[in-house]
mmCIF file of all heavy atoms in Angstrom:
data_model
loop_
_atom_site.group_PDB
_atom_site.id
_atom_site.type_symbol
_atom_site.label_atom_id
_atom_site.label_comp_id
_atom_site.label_asym_id
_atom_site.label_seq_id
_atom_site.Cartn_x
_atom_site.Cartn_y
_atom_site.Cartn_z
ATOM 1 N N GLN A 91 1.266 1.005 -15.881
ATOM 2 C CA GLN A 91 1.086 2.222 -15.093
ATOM 3 C C GLN A 91 0.609 1.896 -13.677
ATOM 4 O O GLN A 91 1.153 2.402 -12.696
ATOM 5 C CB GLN A 91 0.075 3.135 -15.774
ATOM 6 C CG GLN A 91 -0.108 4.453 -15.062
ATOM 7 C CD GLN A 91 -1.122 5.343 -15.767
ATOM 8 O OE1 GLN A 91 -1.720 4.934 -16.751
ATOM 9 N NE2 GLN A 91 -1.300 6.535 -15.263
ATOM 10 N N THR A 92 -0.391 1.033 -13.544
ATOM 11 C CA THR A 92 -0.875 0.699 -12.206
ATOM 12 C C THR A 92 0.147 -0.155 -11.453
ATOM 13 O O THR A 92 0.238 -0.063 -10.229
ATOM 14 C CB THR A 92 -2.228 -0.042 -12.264
ATOM 15 O OG1 THR A 92 -2.105 -1.189 -13.095
ATOM 16 C CG2 THR A 92 -3.324 0.862 -12.789
ATOM 17 N N ALA A 93 0.928 -0.967 -12.174
ATOM 18 C CA ALA A 93 1.968 -1.757 -11.512
ATOM 19 C C ALA A 93 3.006 -0.836 -10.885
ATOM 20 O O ALA A 93 3.422 -1.043 -9.736
ATOM 21 C CB ALA A 93 2.629 -2.706 -12.505
ATOM 22 N N ALA A 94 3.411 0.189 -11.620
ATOM 23 C CA ALA A 94 4.386 1.140 -11.080
ATOM 24 C C ALA A 94 3.803 1.856 -9.869
ATOM 25 O O ALA A 94 4.491 2.086 -8.869
ATOM 26 C CB ALA A 94 4.792 2.141 -12.156
ATOM 27 N N PHE A 95 2.538 2.206 -9.939
ATOM 28 C CA PHE A 95 1.889 2.909 -8.828
ATOM 29 C C PHE A 95 1.831 2.034 -7.577
ATOM 30 O O PHE A 95 2.163 2.477 -6.482
ATOM 31 C CB PHE A 95 0.474 3.333 -9.255
ATOM 32 C CG PHE A 95 -0.305 3.993 -8.159
ATOM 33 C CD1 PHE A 95 -0.004 5.274 -7.759
ATOM 34 C CD2 PHE A 95 -1.341 3.319 -7.529
ATOM 35 C CE1 PHE A 95 -0.721 5.874 -6.748
ATOM 36 C CE2 PHE A 95 -2.066 3.915 -6.523
ATOM 37 C CZ PHE A 95 -1.760 5.203 -6.132
ATOM 38 N N TRP A 96 1.415 0.786 -7.721
ATOM 39 C CA TRP A 96 1.259 -0.086 -6.568
ATOM 40 C C TRP A 96 2.589 -0.640 -6.048
ATOM 41 O O TRP A 96 2.722 -0.954 -4.865
ATOM 42 C CB TRP A 96 0.315 -1.244 -6.891
ATOM 43 C CG TRP A 96 -1.102 -0.797 -7.002
ATOM 44 C CD1 TRP A 96 -1.839 -0.660 -8.139
ATOM 45 C CD2 TRP A 96 -1.963 -0.393 -5.939
ATOM 46 N NE1 TRP A 96 -3.087 -0.201 -7.846
ATOM 47 C CE2 TRP A 96 -3.195 -0.029 -6.499
ATOM 48 C CE3 TRP A 96 -1.810 -0.289 -4.562
ATOM 49 C CZ2 TRP A 96 -4.267 0.423 -5.744
ATOM 50 C CZ3 TRP A 96 -2.881 0.158 -3.809
ATOM 51 C CH2 TRP A 96 -4.083 0.505 -4.397
ATOM 52 N N LEU A 97 3.570 -0.774 -6.917
ATOM 53 C CA LEU A 97 4.845 -1.352 -6.496
ATOM 54 C C LEU A 97 5.865 -0.305 -6.050
ATOM 55 O O LEU A 97 6.901 -0.650 -5.502
ATOM 56 C CB LEU A 97 5.427 -2.207 -7.622
ATOM 57 C CG LEU A 97 4.605 -3.426 -8.007
ATOM 58 C CD1 LEU A 97 5.230 -4.140 -9.186
ATOM 59 C CD2 LEU A 97 4.439 -4.369 -6.832
ATOM 60 N N SER A 98 5.583 0.973 -6.264
ATOM 61 C CA SER A 98 6.550 2.018 -5.901
ATOM 62 C C SER A 98 6.892 2.033 -4.407
ATOM 63 O O SER A 98 8.061 2.223 -4.063
ATOM 64 C CB SER A 98 6.079 3.393 -6.380
ATOM 65 O OG SER A 98 4.860 3.739 -5.781
ATOM 66 N N PRO A 99 5.945 1.835 -3.474
ATOM 67 C CA PRO A 99 6.354 1.780 -2.065
ATOM 68 C C PRO A 99 7.335 0.646 -1.768
ATOM 69 O O PRO A 99 8.265 0.811 -0.979
ATOM 70 C CB PRO A 99 5.043 1.570 -1.301
ATOM 71 C CG PRO A 99 3.993 2.069 -2.204
ATOM 72 C CD PRO A 99 4.484 1.801 -3.592
ATOM 73 N N LEU A 100 7.140 -0.499 -2.428
ATOM 74 C CA LEU A 100 8.069 -1.614 -2.229
ATOM 75 C C LEU A 100 9.452 -1.287 -2.789
ATOM 76 O O LEU A 100 10.469 -1.642 -2.177
ATOM 77 C CB LEU A 100 7.532 -2.877 -2.895
ATOM 78 C CG LEU A 100 6.263 -3.467 -2.291
ATOM 79 C CD1 LEU A 100 5.758 -4.631 -3.139
ATOM 80 C CD2 LEU A 100 6.509 -3.916 -0.873
ATOM 81 N N LEU A 101 9.480 -0.611 -3.926
ATOM 82 C CA LEU A 101 10.765 -0.228 -4.515
ATOM 83 C C LEU A 101 11.499 0.765 -3.611
ATOM 84 O O LEU A 101 12.713 0.648 -3.419
ATOM 85 C CB LEU A 101 10.556 0.361 -5.907
ATOM 86 C CG LEU A 101 10.017 -0.605 -6.959
ATOM 87 C CD1 LEU A 101 9.719 0.136 -8.255
ATOM 88 C CD2 LEU A 101 11.002 -1.725 -7.201
ATOM 89 N N VAL A 102 10.783 1.737 -3.069
ATOM 90 C CA VAL A 102 11.402 2.727 -2.183
ATOM 91 C C VAL A 102 11.910 2.047 -0.910
ATOM 92 O O VAL A 102 13.027 2.305 -0.458
ATOM 93 C CB VAL A 102 10.404 3.862 -1.855
ATOM 94 C CG1 VAL A 102 10.921 4.754 -0.747
ATOM 95 C CG2 VAL A 102 10.116 4.682 -3.105
ATOM 96 N N ALA A 103 11.093 1.161 -0.333
ATOM 97 C CA ALA A 103 11.513 0.452 0.880
ATOM 98 C C ALA A 103 12.722 -0.441 0.593
ATOM 99 O O ALA A 103 13.651 -0.522 1.406
ATOM 100 C CB ALA A 103 10.364 -0.392 1.428
ATOM 101 N N GLY A 104 12.729 -1.092 -0.556
ATOM 102 C CA GLY A 104 13.866 -1.937 -0.928
ATOM 103 C C GLY A 104 15.134 -1.123 -1.118
ATOM 104 O O GLY A 104 16.218 -1.533 -0.692
ATOM 105 N N ALA A 105 15.010 0.048 -1.755
ATOM 106 C CA ALA A 105 16.181 0.910 -1.949
ATOM 107 C C ALA A 105 16.704 1.403 -0.604
ATOM 108 O O ALA A 105 17.917 1.430 -0.376
ATOM 109 C CB ALA A 105 15.819 2.083 -2.855
ATOM 110 N N ALA A 106 15.795 1.793 0.291
ATOM 111 C CA ALA A 106 16.214 2.266 1.617
ATOM 112 C C ALA A 106 16.911 1.143 2.393
ATOM 113 O O ALA A 106 17.940 1.372 3.036
ATOM 114 C CB ALA A 106 15.010 2.786 2.392
ATOM 115 N N ALA A 107 16.370 -0.065 2.331
ATOM 116 C CA ALA A 107 16.996 -1.206 3.017
ATOM 117 C C ALA A 107 18.360 -1.518 2.409
ATOM 118 O O ALA A 107 19.316 -1.833 3.137
ATOM 119 C CB ALA A 107 16.089 -2.433 2.948
ATOM 120 N N GLY A 108 18.467 -1.414 1.095
ATOM 121 C CA GLY A 108 19.749 -1.653 0.438
ATOM 122 C C GLY A 108 20.800 -0.631 0.844
ATOM 123 O O GLY A 108 21.952 -0.986 1.119
ATOM 124 N N ILE A 109 20.422 0.635 0.896
ATOM 125 C CA ILE A 109 21.359 1.694 1.317
ATOM 126 C C ILE A 109 21.777 1.483 2.763
ATOM 127 O O ILE A 109 22.960 1.608 3.105
ATOM 128 C CB ILE A 109 20.723 3.078 1.105
ATOM 129 C CG1 ILE A 109 20.594 3.364 -0.389
ATOM 130 C CG2 ILE A 109 21.521 4.170 1.791
ATOM 131 C CD1 ILE A 109 19.754 4.582 -0.712
ATOM 132 N N TRP A 110 20.807 1.146 3.621
ATOM 133 C CA TRP A 110 21.120 0.912 5.036
ATOM 134 C C TRP A 110 22.086 -0.270 5.174
ATOM 135 O O TRP A 110 23.078 -0.186 5.915
ATOM 136 C CB TRP A 110 19.829 0.639 5.800
ATOM 137 C CG TRP A 110 20.048 0.281 7.231
ATOM 138 C CD1 TRP A 110 20.323 1.113 8.264
ATOM 139 C CD2 TRP A 110 20.031 -1.047 7.779
ATOM 140 N NE1 TRP A 110 20.465 0.399 9.417
ATOM 141 C CE2 TRP A 110 20.296 -0.925 9.147
ATOM 142 C CE3 TRP A 110 19.808 -2.300 7.236
ATOM 143 C CZ2 TRP A 110 20.345 -2.027 9.988
ATOM 144 C CZ3 TRP A 110 19.861 -3.390 8.067
ATOM 145 C CH2 TRP A 110 20.129 -3.254 9.429
ATOM 146 N N ALA A 111 21.825 -1.367 4.480
ATOM 147 C CA ALA A 111 22.697 -2.553 4.567
ATOM 148 C C ALA A 111 24.090 -2.247 4.015
ATOM 149 O O ALA A 111 25.101 -2.672 4.593
ATOM 150 C CB ALA A 111 22.062 -3.718 3.807
ATOM 151 N N TYR A 112 24.155 -1.492 2.927
ATOM 152 C CA TYR A 112 25.451 -1.134 2.345
ATOM 153 C C TYR A 112 26.262 -0.290 3.326
ATOM 154 O O TYR A 112 27.462 -0.552 3.536
ATOM 155 C CB TYR A 112 25.254 -0.383 1.027
ATOM 156 C CG TYR A 112 26.537 0.159 0.460
ATOM 157 C CD1 TYR A 112 27.456 -0.685 -0.147
ATOM 158 C CD2 TYR A 112 26.849 1.514 0.557
ATOM 159 C CE1 TYR A 112 28.649 -0.191 -0.653
ATOM 160 C CE2 TYR A 112 28.031 2.012 0.052
ATOM 161 C CZ TYR A 112 28.935 1.161 -0.552
ATOM 162 O OH TYR A 112 30.105 1.648 -1.044
ATOM 163 N N ASN A 113 25.630 0.707 3.921
ATOM 164 C CA ASN A 113 26.345 1.556 4.880
ATOM 165 C C ASN A 113 26.801 0.759 6.094
ATOM 166 O O ASN A 113 27.912 0.952 6.594
ATOM 167 C CB ASN A 113 25.470 2.732 5.316
ATOM 168 C CG ASN A 113 25.370 3.789 4.245
ATOM 169 O OD1 ASN A 113 26.242 3.902 3.388
ATOM 170 N ND2 ASN A 113 24.300 4.560 4.284
#
Side-chain angles (χ1 to χ4, degrees):
Q91 183 180 3
T92 55
F95 177 73
W96 288 106
L97 296 176
S98 61
L100 293 174
L101 294 174
V102 169
I109 291 169
W110 175 78
Y112 173 75
N113 285 336

